[in-house]
Amino acid sequence: MLATFDGNNNLKHSYEYTVGNTPTSYYAGNQRYYILTDQLGSPRIITDSAGNVLREIEYDSIGTIMSMMLPYRVAFLIGWTVLLVLWTGMDWPLGVINPQAAN
């Protein structure tokens, strides 16, 4: 078990672990939450004590949490689109150019 306390020594959170150091549940306030993991021990679903799904966690092929990467993906999409529009607006070539063929 792992527990965190505030400055007045009041319990904030407590985490329960099983074999292999995989968290199975935690307390926050007076509510108990359960952590369901996949075969690798990565958290996939968090439920309350009644079994209601509060959060589903989705990973990509290399283990990155998908919902955390969404802002970066949008920023890269906008950035590359702006770069492509500027590049083509300047009439610069998009590929490798043979200087002898340009003559």
Side-chain angles (χ1 to χ4, degrees), residues 19-103:
V19 177
N21 297 324
T22 302
T24 56
S25 66
Y26 68 94
Y27 287 96
N30 293 328
Q31 182 71 23
R32 183 175 186 159
Y33 301 97
Y34 294 94
I35 304 168
L36 307 173
T37 61
D38 61 10
Q39 70 275 15
L40 299 175
S42 301
R44 299 302 298 229
I45 298 174
I46 298 176
T47 66
D48 61 8
S49 56
N52 300 316
V53 175
L54 303 175
R55 181 164 185 197
E56 292 187 41
I57 304 169
E58 194 176 332
Y59 299 89
D60 67 5
S61 60
I62 59 171
T64 304
I65 298 175
M66 297 296 287
S67 61
M68 294 179 73
M69 290 303 296
L70 184 60
Y72 297 108
R73 290 178 182 195
V74 170
F76 278 114
L77 176 66
I78 292 170
W80 282 108
T81 303
V82 168
L83 182 63
L84 180 64
V85 168
L86 289 175
W87 196 276
T88 55
M90 298 292 283
D91 202 26
W92 292 342
L94 290 177
V96 177
I97 300 258
N98 182 354
Q100 294 172 349
N103 292 331

